[in-house]
Amino acid sequence: MDELIFFINRALISGTVLGSIYALGAIGVTLVFGILRFAHFAHGDMMTMGAFIAFLLASAMAAMGIILPLPMAFIVLPVAMVITAFLALGIDKGFYAPLRARGAKPVTLLIASIGVTLMIQGLVRLIFGSSTRQLYVEGETKDIFRFDMSWAGGTRPISITEPQIIMFVVTALIVVALHFFLTRSRLGKAMRAMADNADLAQVSGINTALVVRVTWVIAGSLACVAGTMLALDVALMPDLAFNIVLPIFAAAIVGGLGHAYGAIVGGFLIAFAETLAVFNWTAVLRPLNAFLPGGMELPSNLALVPTEYKLTVAFVILVITLLVRPTGIFKGAST
């Protein structure tokens, strides 16, 4: 039983946490690609920017003496989402819209997004410094819930932290809300139509400028949620999401570029593949030692790849997907 509990703690919960972050990030990436047809490389740093905005708001609330049962960064998250969405609109208006007006090619927009990445990183370091800090304000602690499993014969508890529970709930609510928005609202249907064929959507009378603005609002808001949830689970730092932007892109491509549901599936697929690849299977398979011939036993570490090569798992899956199914699982735009 302890082996199963170890697997739940180290693989199932960790994979779900990572999958939630990848899925929220990949939705923004895939929406921007679907509508604007370019890879927005700065999306990871928009996540970091959203987390720092939440940090500022939470610190301001704490300075006013407001302490609530839930993490303050989570309480101020709706306001941080609005601010990040406006900043995303500003980035589009200031950098990408002028390039689109001049007929810039996607590769030009991609290079511009790399410039925006460096600009955001520079601003974050200039304002907040390069140190690592906790998103929890003074007086708050990260609660850990331990579920006793002695009733099932286990000696260890199943452990899960408060931000992880919040992350699961928020991710589920966002996925459901996004589903209803894309399938039930006129604006959501217009976004899907524009993602399928932008020229046809325009001649059909769809307000493409409004669709572009809504796309940035959704992408900025979700980036803020993903960045804040990630910072609550680990720590807040200037390169918080830069290191995971490539797996997020891999998730979007594997799921099918331009397809929101594909981004969700791709996010969890990449996350669980990474988590299970670095998981030490010896901890689960140790009881099999009793059935091995005398003198033989399982090695102390049966991870498929070392932890430092975890990122390569995402790209192995990406290459296989591009070779076998170039449009991704959900038949998105061809890569």
Side-chain angles (χ1 to χ4, degrees), residues 181-194 206:
F181 173 75
L182 292 175
T183 57
R184 304 292 175 85
S185 71
R186 291 185 62 183
L187 201 51
K189 292 175 182 176
M191 289 180 66
R192 291 166 56 198
M194 191 168 170
I206 291 176

Side-chain angles (χ1 to χ4, degrees), residues 65 138 142 178 217 246 276 296:
E138 189 175 354
K142 183 188 289 186
L178 188 66
V217 167
L246 293 180
L276 295 178
M296 292 184 63

